[in-house]
Amino acid sequence: MKILAMIPARLGSQRLKQKNLRSINGKTLLQLAIEKCKNTKVFDEVWVNSESEIIGNVALENGAKFHKRPEELANNSATSEDFIYEFLKSNDCTHVVQVHSIAPLLSQKDIIDFVEKMMVSKANVFLSYEPIQIECAYKNTPINFTFDEKTNSQDLDLIQRISWSITGWLKDEYITNYEIGKCASYAGDVDFIPISKLASHVIKVEEDLKIAQALYDLVVENGG
């Protein structure tokens, strides 16, 4: 059994320029992600997956391995399905856990808990989610409540908002499903693993980064 952590980190980004190299408390988001993954001791290897030598140098300087993806898998039209498949075809493992650097409030404990639950599961796809227990609707239609009555929020069914902060797959099943044309991200038996609201926070725009910067010390004080 061999578990790899894979941190995807393009140099380019549309909404927040070079976001993987933006910093919190003097360290880049990429550095923070590498440190967390290494400190958990649950991975056999920690990899950074990028098209950029600049990103690769940061990875190597911080003790991670660098997988240079092809340039065609670094543009905005390439999907995660494509670059994860290419990474898995190139590296020996049984499991891969994708840890996003743009989820800096995902703590070491969150990662450890996720991997522990993954390893006792019989599924081949592992999705993290934020449990939401409040009235939710889709296209103006209630999902977990009804307009016929007012329900106390604690009595509502939980909504599972998928978070891409951390995700896992079995290598062989991912490759097989990709090659037969299925959506490998979801194909097969899926297990849903809860994470906290803070751990689910993902940086897409400047405001997201400011929120993470404001809350980061709180996360570190409660498990890093």
Side-chain angles (χ1 to χ4, degrees), residues 2-142:
K2 187 175 183 180
I3 310 172
L4 304 186
M6 185 199 67
I7 304 168
R10 287 195 304 143
L11 182 63
S13 54
Q14 290 181 301
R15 287 173 285 184
L16 185 61
K17 299 300 181 184
Q18 296 190 351
K19 60 188 175 185
N20 285 293
L21 299 180
R22 297 295 296 272
S23 63
I24 294 178
N25 288 4
K27 293 184 178 181
T28 66
L29 298 181
L30 182 56
Q31 286 177 280
L32 294 173
I34 293 170
E35 287 181 3
K36 280 189 298 189
C37 288
K38 288 175 66 68
N39 289 340
T40 61
K41 309 296 184 184
V42 295
F43 300 115
D44 294 289
E45 297 170 357
V46 176
W47 288 80
V48 172
N49 184 338
S50 179
E51 86 294 353
S52 167
E53 293 289 352
I54 295 173
I55 294 288
N57 288 335
V58 175
L60 295 173
E61 288 168 2
N62 288 274
K65 295 177 179 291
F66 175 45
H67 176 87
K68 187 172 183 180
R69 72 176 74 162
E71 289 291 336
E72 62 269 21
L73 296 182
N75 58 41
N76 292 324
S77 62
T79 69
S80 61
E81 293 256 308
D82 299 326
F83 73 71
I84 293 170
Y85 171 76
E86 190 271 336
F87 175 85
L88 289 175
K89 289 289 284 187
S90 304
N91 292 283
D92 176 47
C93 65
T94 56
H95 301 70
V96 64
V97 176
Q98 179 176 253
V99 179
H100 270 293
S101 58
I102 56 172
L105 303 183
L106 179 77
S107 71
Q108 292 180 37
K109 185 178 184 304
D110 291 320
I111 296 173
I112 293 169
D113 288 347
F114 182 92
V115 173
E116 287 179 347
K117 290 173 183 174
M118 181 182 76
M119 297 314 296
V120 298
S121 172
K122 294 183 179 179
N124 62 285
V125 176
F126 310 92
L127 302 178
S128 63
Y129 73 91
E130 175 193 350
I132 298 176
Q133 196 169 24
I134 195 68
E135 289 88 346
C136 295
Y138 175 70
K139 292 186 176 180
N140 301 322
T141 300

Side-chain angles (χ1 to χ4, degrees), residues 172-183:
D172 290 346
E173 283 79 356
Y174 190 101
I175 289 174
T176 297
N177 286 312
Y178 183 96
E179 292 180 346
I180 64 176
K182 289 187 176 181
C183 179

Side-chain angles (χ1 to χ4, degrees), residues 142-155:
I143 297 173
N144 61 339
F145 73 104
T146 173
F147 288 144
D148 295 331
E149 62 178 335
K150 178 66 180 75
T151 306
N152 292 328
S153 58
Q154 64 267 26
D155 296 325

Side-chain angles (χ1 to χ4, degrees), residues 161-200:
R161 187 185 75 80
I162 301 302
S163 167
W164 289 96
S165 300
I166 183 169
T167 317
W169 296 276
L170 295 185
K171 173 184 176 175
D172 290 346
E173 283 79 356
Y174 190 101
I175 289 174
T176 297
N177 286 312
Y178 183 96
E179 292 180 346
I180 64 176
K182 289 187 176 181
C183 179
S185 297
Y186 307 125
D189 295 326
V190 180
D191 200 354
F192 295 86
I193 300 175
I195 59 176
S196 70
K197 183 179 182 68
L198 290 179
S200 298

